[in-house]
Amino acid sequence: MKACPRCKSVSRHRMRRKGIARLIPRSKAYACDNCNVEYTWISFINRSFKM
């Protein structure tokens, strides 16, 4: 699931990946619509990380 790591909301929008996240294959960058935190979701481990 691509839930926000801060508030656990699933309301989000896609962004361009920045920095080291560009080098990680199958990662996607999101920004939470509720708390405005930017995070990267990595599909092959199914985890979200704040950036």
Side-chain angles (χ1 to χ4, degrees), residues 6-36:
R6 184 184 210 183
C7 68
K8 306 301 183 214
S9 169
V10 292
S11 178
R12 72 218 180 263
H13 61 275
R14 288 281 303 268
M15 298 179 46
R16 295 187 112 191
R17 294 180 296 170
K18 298 177 186 174
I20 194 85
R22 288 182 170 181
L23 300 175
I24 302 170
R26 297 183 301 202
S27 65
K28 297 185 178 13
Y30 294 96
C32 180
D33 291 333
N34 293 336
C35 64
N36 295 323

